[in-house]
Amino acid sequence: MIATHEAGTVDKAAEALRAGKLVILPTETVYGLGADASNPEAVAAIFEAKGRPRFNPLIAHVADAVAAEQVAVFDERARALAAAFWPGPLTIVAPVRNRSAVSDLARAGLDSVAIRVPGHAKARQVIAAFGGAVVAPSANRSGRPSPTTYADAVEETGASAAVAVDGGPCAVGVESTVVSVLGGRVALLRPGSVTRKELEEVVGPLADRPEEGHRSPGRMALHYAPDAPVRINVTEPVEGELLLGFGEGVGDPRWSLSPVGNLREAAANLFRLLREADRTKPSGIAIAPIPVEGLGEAINDRLKRAAGFVG
């Protein structure tokens, strides 16, 4: 529906959400394709636009922690996590309080809800102006790399959106960390820029694995995948492959996730470089080894899914 790259205003985006239409929203993680979380027809339009599997729950974005507790039941652990990391790239999975605020379709029929307060000020402005929860999975077609720039978001799903809000390049570059407070211990469902160490400093040791039935956004095996086949942990690319390097002296600096080996820089560049590499039509995309500690856990998680397997 968006004919040009002219950005929409906060008020126009809120108006579109109230009308049951889709909007492209900036967040600090990636650009999202947003809809009224309470409107199952609007939520279904997201699935249609993305081609997203119906059993994958969506994250409800709210303006602040007070609004979050109107949607979800928070215990002291959830409140401690919210106080430490909100607004920011942490999603909390908790029992649902208000089922009408986030539709069954958005929750994939679960008795829990995934919720967060985004760190991007313009996203919160849109949500506050709208006045309810907004589900906003990444604004890419399902399985494609997530967009971290306004132009890439519009290119991917702009045809399905009534309004697109330009918030500049995404600062974080990978989707939010997702934790569950449904069990005896907090469980890490999806790694992200809020690291395991940072979480454990707030809530103590995390569960080794989530309880049965806990599901998180972004956990499909083949996910974040460009058209070209992806190989990871590559030290020597084969002929025709484009190497995305990491660290000093690894490959062409123009195609490096971080020439200096900085994990935050690598996360911010990850999806953009996957997209740009794919546009060159290589026979394959090779990724240099990335350390697994800290933010590297999230980067490797995304790369494994881009390569089509779960490690």
Side-chain angles (χ1 to χ4, degrees), residues 154-195:
V154 170
E155 179 184 358
E156 279 283 322
T157 53
S160 301
V163 176
V165 178
D166 189 352
C170 298
V172 174
V174 294
E175 289 85 350
S176 61
T177 302
V178 180
V179 296
S180 167
V181 297
L182 299 175
R185 281 187 185 177
V186 175
L188 179 62
L189 302 185
R190 182 177 74 182
S193 63
V194 177
T195 66

Coordinates of all heavy atoms in Angstrom, one line a residue, residues 154-195:
V154 N 10.5 -1.4 4.2 CA 9.5 -1.0 3.2 C 9.6 -1.9 2.0 O 8.6 -2.4 1.4 CB 9.6 0.5 2.8 CG1 8.8 0.8 1.5 CG2 9.3 1.4 3.9
E155 N 10.8 -2.3 1.6 CA 11.0 -3.2 0.5 C 10.4 -4.6 0.8 O 9.8 -5.2 -0.1 CB 12.5 -3.4 0.2 CG 12.8 -4.4 -0.9 CD 14.3 -4.6 -1.1 OE1 15.1 -4.0 -0.4 OE2 14.6 -5.4 -2.0
E156 N 10.5 -5.0 2.0 CA 10.0 -6.4 2.4 C 8.5 -6.4 2.5 O 7.8 -7.3 1.9 CB 10.6 -6.8 3.7 CG 12.0 -7.4 3.6 CD 12.0 -8.8 3.1 OE1 11.1 -9.6 3.4 OE2 13.0 -9.1 2.3
T157 N 7.9 -5.5 3.3 CA 6.4 -5.7 3.6 C 5.7 -4.4 3.4 O 4.5 -4.3 3.9 CB 6.2 -6.2 5.0 OG1 7.0 -5.4 5.9 CG2 6.7 -7.7 5.1
G158 N 6.3 -3.4 2.8 CA 5.6 -2.1 2.6 C 4.3 -2.2 1.8 O 3.4 -1.5 2.0
A159 N 4.2 -3.2 0.9 CA 3.0 -3.4 0.1 C 1.8 -3.8 1.0 O 0.7 -3.6 0.5 CB 3.3 -4.5 -1.0
S160 N 2.1 -4.3 2.2 CA 1.0 -4.7 3.1 C 0.7 -3.7 4.1 O -0.3 -3.9 4.9 CB 1.4 -6.1 3.7 OG 1.6 -7.1 2.8
A161 N 1.5 -2.6 4.3 CA 1.3 -1.7 5.3 C 0.7 -0.4 4.9 O 0.9 0.1 3.8 CB 2.7 -1.4 5.9
A162 N -0.2 0.2 5.7 CA -0.8 1.4 5.4 C 0.1 2.6 5.7 O 0.0 3.7 5.0 CB -2.1 1.6 6.2
V163 N 0.9 2.5 6.7 CA 1.8 3.6 7.1 C 3.2 2.9 7.5 O 3.2 1.8 8.1 CB 1.3 4.3 8.3 CG1 2.2 5.4 8.8 CG2 -0.1 5.0 8.0
A164 N 4.3 3.6 7.2 CA 5.6 3.2 7.6 C 6.3 4.4 8.3 O 6.3 5.5 7.8 CB 6.5 2.8 6.4
V165 N 6.8 4.1 9.5 CA 7.4 5.2 10.3 C 8.9 5.0 10.3 O 9.4 3.9 10.6 CB 6.9 5.1 11.8 CG1 7.6 6.1 12.7 CG2 5.4 5.3 11.9
D166 N 9.6 6.0 9.9 CA 11.1 6.0 9.8 C 11.7 6.3 11.1 O 11.5 7.5 11.6 CB 11.5 6.9 8.7 CG 13.0 6.8 8.4 OD1 13.7 6.0 9.1 OD2 13.4 7.4 7.4
G167 N 12.4 5.4 11.7 CA 13.1 5.7 13.0 C 14.6 5.6 12.9 O 15.3 5.5 13.9
G168 N 15.1 5.6 11.6 CA 16.6 5.5 11.4 C 17.0 4.0 11.6 O 16.2 3.1 11.8
P169 N 18.3 3.8 11.4 CA 18.9 2.4 11.5 C 18.7 1.9 13.0 O 18.7 2.6 13.9 CB 20.4 2.6 11.2 CG 20.5 3.9 10.5 CD 19.4 4.8 11.1
C170 N 18.4 0.6 13.1 CA 18.2 0.0 14.4 C 19.5 -0.2 15.1 O 20.5 -0.6 14.5 CB 17.6 -1.4 14.2 SG 16.0 -1.4 13.4
A171 N 19.5 0.2 16.4 CA 20.8 0.3 17.1 C 21.3 -1.1 17.5 O 22.5 -1.3 17.6 CB 20.5 1.2 18.4
V172 N 20.3 -2.0 17.8 CA 20.8 -3.3 18.3 C 21.0 -4.3 17.2 O 22.0 -5.0 17.1 CB 19.7 -3.9 19.3 CG1 20.1 -5.3 19.8 CG2 19.6 -3.0 20.5
G173 N 20.0 -4.5 16.3 CA 20.2 -5.3 15.1 C 19.8 -6.7 15.2 O 19.8 -7.4 14.2
V174 N 19.5 -7.3 16.3 CA 19.0 -8.6 16.5 C 17.7 -8.5 17.4 O 17.6 -7.6 18.2 CB 19.9 -9.7 17.0 CG1 21.1 -9.9 16.1 CG2 20.4 -9.2 18.4
E175 N 16.8 -9.5 17.2 CA 15.6 -9.5 17.9 C 15.8 -9.6 19.4 O 16.9 -10.0 19.9 CB 14.6 -10.6 17.5 CG 14.1 -10.4 16.1 CD 15.0 -10.9 15.0 OE1 16.2 -11.2 15.3 OE2 14.6 -10.9 13.8
S176 N 14.8 -9.2 20.2 CA 14.9 -9.2 21.6 C 15.2 -10.5 22.3 O 14.8 -11.6 21.7 CB 13.6 -8.6 22.2 OG 12.5 -9.5 21.9
T177 N 15.9 -10.5 23.4 CA 16.0 -11.7 24.2 C 14.6 -12.0 24.8 O 13.8 -11.1 25.1 CB 16.9 -11.4 25.4 OG1 18.2 -10.9 24.9 CG2 17.1 -12.6 26.3
V178 N 14.3 -13.3 24.8 CA 13.0 -13.7 25.3 C 13.2 -14.7 26.5 O 14.0 -15.6 26.4 CB 12.2 -14.5 24.2 CG1 10.8 -14.9 24.8 CG2 12.0 -13.6 23.0
V179 N 12.6 -14.3 27.6 CA 12.6 -15.2 28.8 C 11.2 -15.5 29.3 O 10.3 -14.8 29.1 CB 13.4 -14.5 30.0 CG1 14.8 -14.2 29.6 CG2 12.7 -13.2 30.4
S180 N 11.1 -16.7 29.9 CA 9.8 -17.1 30.5 C 9.9 -17.1 32.0 O 10.9 -17.6 32.6 CB 9.5 -18.6 30.0 OG 8.4 -19.1 30.7
V181 N 8.8 -16.6 32.6 CA 8.7 -16.6 34.1 C 7.6 -17.6 34.5 O 7.1 -17.5 35.6 CB 8.5 -15.2 34.7 CG1 9.7 -14.3 34.4 CG2 7.2 -14.6 34.1
L182 N 7.3 -18.5 33.6 CA 6.2 -19.4 33.8 C 6.5 -20.6 34.8 O 5.7 -21.2 35.4 CB 5.6 -20.0 32.5 CG 5.1 -19.0 31.5 CD1 4.7 -19.7 30.2 CD2 3.9 -18.2 32.1
G183 N 7.8 -20.9 34.8 CA 8.2 -22.1 35.6 C 8.9 -21.7 36.9 O 8.8 -20.5 37.4
G184 N 9.5 -22.7 37.6 CA 10.2 -22.4 38.9 C 11.3 -21.5 38.7 O 11.6 -20.7 39.6
R185 N 12.1 -21.6 37.6 CA 13.2 -20.7 37.3 C 12.9 -20.0 36.0 O 12.1 -20.4 35.2 CB 14.5 -21.5 37.1 CG 15.2 -21.9 38.4 CD 16.5 -22.5 38.0 NE 17.3 -23.0 39.2 CZ 18.4 -23.6 39.1 NH1 19.0 -23.7 37.9 NH2 19.0 -24.1 40.1
V186 N 13.4 -18.8 35.9 CA 13.3 -18.1 34.7 C 14.1 -18.9 33.6 O 15.2 -19.3 33.8 CB 14.0 -16.6 34.8 CG1 14.0 -15.9 33.4 CG2 13.1 -15.8 35.8
A187 N 13.5 -19.0 32.4 CA 14.1 -19.8 31.4 C 14.4 -18.9 30.2 O 13.6 -18.0 29.8 CB 13.2 -20.9 30.9
L188 N 15.5 -19.1 29.6 CA 15.9 -18.3 28.4 C 15.4 -19.0 27.2 O 15.8 -20.2 26.8 CB 17.4 -18.2 28.3 CG 18.0 -17.5 27.1 CD1 17.5 -16.0 27.0 CD2 19.5 -17.5 27.1
L189 N 14.4 -18.4 26.5 CA 13.8 -19.0 25.3 C 14.4 -18.6 24.0 O 14.5 -19.4 23.0 CB 12.3 -18.7 25.2 CG 11.4 -19.0 26.4 CD1 9.9 -18.7 26.1 CD2 11.5 -20.5 26.8
R190 N 15.0 -17.4 24.0 CA 15.7 -16.9 22.8 C 16.8 -16.0 23.2 O 16.5 -15.0 23.9 CB 14.7 -16.2 21.8 CG 15.3 -15.7 20.5 CD 14.3 -15.1 19.6 NE 13.9 -13.8 20.0 CZ 13.0 -13.0 19.4 NH1 12.4 -13.5 18.3 NH2 12.7 -11.8 19.8
P191 N 18.0 -16.2 22.8 CA 19.1 -15.3 23.2 C 19.0 -14.0 22.4 O 18.4 -14.0 21.3 CB 20.4 -16.1 22.9 CG 19.9 -17.1 21.8 CD 18.5 -17.4 22.1
G192 N 19.5 -12.9 23.0 CA 19.5 -11.7 22.3 C 20.5 -10.8 22.9 O 21.5 -11.2 23.6
S193 N 20.4 -9.4 22.8 CA 21.4 -8.5 23.2 C 21.4 -8.4 24.8 O 22.4 -8.0 25.3 CB 21.2 -7.2 22.6 OG 20.0 -6.6 23.0
V194 N 20.3 -8.7 25.4 CA 20.4 -8.8 26.9 C 20.9 -10.3 27.2 O 20.3 -11.2 26.9 CB 19.0 -8.6 27.6 CG1 19.1 -8.9 29.1 CG2 18.5 -7.3 27.3
T195 N 22.1 -10.4 27.7 CA 22.8 -11.6 27.7 C 22.4 -12.5 29.0 O 21.8 -12.0 29.9 CB 24.3 -11.4 27.8 OG1 24.6 -10.8 29.1 CG2 24.8 -10.5 26.7

